[in-house]
Amino acid sequence: MPLTATTAAPPVNRVGLDRTAMIAVVVCWLFVVFDGYDLIVYGNVIPSLQKEWGISAATAGTLGSLAFLGMMIGAVLAGRLSDVVGRKRAVIGCAIVLSVFTALCALATGPVMFGALRLIAGLGLGGLVPTSNALAAELIPAKWRAAVATMMMSGVPIGGSIAALIGIPVIPNWGWQPMFVFALVPLILLVPIAWKTLPDHTAAVTSTEVRPATGFSALLGTRCRSVSIMFALATVVTLLAWYGLGTWLPKLMQGEGTDLGSALTFALALNLGAVAGSFVTAWGGVRFGTIPTSIVAALLAGLALLTLLTGPPVALIYVIFVLAGVGTHGTQCLIIAAVASYYPDYLRGTALGWALGVGRIGAVAAPQIGGWLLAAGLGADSNFILFGVSALVAALLLAVIWRRFPSPR
């Protein structure tokens, strides 16, 4: 059975769907948009970095994996930290780290310096989503939590779409460096707004009763160890598919004979599909349950990507990438919504950090494996098989969760 919060008092300053809460949720969503921009921007500049620095596809994959390695560490640490020091401080701290070190990437003179900066930026990148989602989940009534958690994640592909739209005119005319300088915008505009509008409460229990076990000892204790591990594994393969596409899609399509501008439009189709998927899956999660809807979304993504092996016409390829965006990102949105609904307030940040932190193994592996496959001369199809099969495995894991554990609607 899902954990409940019957032994713990509500978080301090919990509010309903009033103006104050909605402003704070929108600010959290804008941070997720920023997160999405930084996730996708590297995939857009890979061809430029290879040309300027003369690096191989395998090296480019390693550079992409370094940011995701930082994300894996950052998600676990920030999720736990937000349960201790408060959501507001954790969210703003992650945003500052991400913004500063992403902007510094524009000054990188070679792959070693660039990789080190991306690794550090990844700490903030990985922490921003679980802390923002944990904060938003505490500001809304439980009945809306799954829908809002899913729609919050629409910020990731919207940020990715912004990266693609900016990259189409900027990279050919001014190079790849300005793409990272844009990361200063959230630091200058969004962080001061967040400091004024986000609530100053923490997730600490204020009851005089003895608080149940918290942190990873509770998360991986006898009561919820199995479901916590299953959520993490499902996140691993889902993020492998989503971030693999986000990292390599422009390069893969260039390898199929398209120019950079056209290749970026395929990335835009993927991200626009993911935006649509955030809202479609939010509705499906409320109507049919988060886990059943996530199974359908993962199946949709896997089958769509494997259809690319048949050599479809260009118009259909755009449709396939829209469906892949709907399915891969929609699945991850629903997993986050399920985790946010499954665990009590005092454990929510830790649970989200755990699922996304361990799940980043897939994000770390995706750029590297994709680079190895390309370096081995196996072509774009090998990547599409990898990402498509990963989505199908996610569907299988989620089906196991659905059958063995109650669906958190």
Side-chain angles (χ1 to χ4, degrees):
M1 294 293 292
L3 294 175
T4 62
T6 55
T7 58
V12 182
N13 293 337
R14 178 184 290 279
V15 293
L17 286 172
D18 59 17
R19 183 172 179 272
T20 302
M22 291 309 299
I23 290 173
V25 170
V26 169
V27 170
C28 288
W29 176 81
L30 289 172
F31 275 124
V32 177
V33 172
F34 173 34
D35 189 279
Y37 176 90
D38 197 273
L39 283 172
I40 302 301
V41 69
Y42 176 69
N44 294 340
V45 304
I46 284 178
S48 300
L49 294 179
Q50 287 187 284
K51 182 178 179 180
E52 181 171 329
W53 292 337
I55 58 178
S56 66
T59 301
T62 300
L63 291 178
S65 293
L66 286 173
F68 293 129
L69 177 61
M71 289 171 66
M72 181 172 63
I73 299 170
V76 174
L77 295 181
R80 180 69 185 111
L81 186 65
S82 72
D83 283 338
V84 176
V85 305
R87 315 298 192 205
K88 176 179 178 177
R89 291 179 178 84
V91 168
I92 292 176
C94 289
I96 292 173
V97 171
L98 174 56
S99 186
V100 170
F101 285 94
T102 296
L104 288 174
C105 288
L107 303 178
T109 57
V112 174
M113 181 179 177
F114 183 88
L117 291 170
R118 287 292 287 170
L119 175 64
I120 300 172
L123 297 174
L125 184 63
L128 202 50
V129 168
T131 54
S132 296
N133 274 278
L135 192 153
E138 292 180 2
L139 298 176
I140 55 177
K143 66 178 181 179
W144 296 108
R145 189 169 292 151
V148 171
T150 304
M151 289 187 288
M152 274 275 294
M153 293 305 295
S154 69
V156 173
I158 288 175
S161 300
I162 292 171
L165 286 172
I166 292 175
I168 290 172
V170 167
I171 296 174
N173 292 296
W174 294 286
W176 59 270
Q177 289 88 348
M179 298 296 293
F180 293 95
V181 176
F182 283 126
L184 291 175
V185 173
L187 178 66
I188 296 170
L189 299 180
L190 196 54
V191 168
I193 295 173
W195 188 258
K196 292 182 179 180
T197 59
L198 296 185
D200 279 311
H201 72 274
T202 70
V205 173
T206 58
S207 172
T208 56
E209 300 178 36
V210 177
R211 190 164 96 168
T214 60
F216 296 109
S217 61
L219 194 69
L220 299 177
T222 303
R223 191 174 183 186
C224 60
R225 180 188 302 122
S226 296
V227 73
S228 295
I229 292 174
M230 291 297 292
F231 275 132
L233 291 176
T235 305
V236 168
V237 288
T238 302
L239 292 185
L240 194 154
W242 168 242
Y243 289 140
L245 286 169
T247 299
W248 283 113
L249 186 54
K251 180 66 177 179
L252 293 175
M253 298 315 293
Q254 273 194 294
E256 294 296 298
T258 61
D259 58 33
L260 177 59
S262 298
L264 289 176
T265 62
F266 286 113
L268 182 60
L270 176 74
N271 283 282
L272 290 177
V275 173
S278 299
F279 295 96
V280 171
T281 54
W283 171 82
V286 172
R287 178 67 177 83
F288 303 106
T290 52
I291 300 300
T293 306
S294 68
I295 295 170
V296 174
L299 284 172
L300 177 67
L303 295 175
L305 289 170
L306 293 179
T307 302
L308 290 170
L309 304 179
T310 64
V314 173
L316 183 56
I317 291 176
Y318 279 105
V319 174
I320 288 171
F321 285 134
V322 169
L323 293 177
V326 170
T328 54
H329 185 69
T331 301
Q332 187 54 47
C333 289
L334 289 162
I335 292 173
I336 291 174
V339 173
S341 299
Y342 193 93
Y343 297 89
D345 295 330
Y346 67 85
L347 197 56
R348 184 174 296 113
T350 303
L352 286 166
W354 160 263
L356 287 169
V358 176
R360 300 298 183 192
I361 293 173
V364 171
Q368 190 65 73
I369 296 175
W372 286 338
L373 292 173
L374 290 177
L378 298 178
D381 283 354
S382 63
N383 274 262
F384 295 138
I385 291 172
L386 171 65
F387 305 144
V389 171
S390 295
L392 295 179
V393 172
L396 177 61
L397 291 169
L398 291 164
V400 173
I401 293 175
W402 185 36
R403 294 296 301 270
R404 290 193 58 187
F405 306 98
S407 178
R409 294 189 57 169

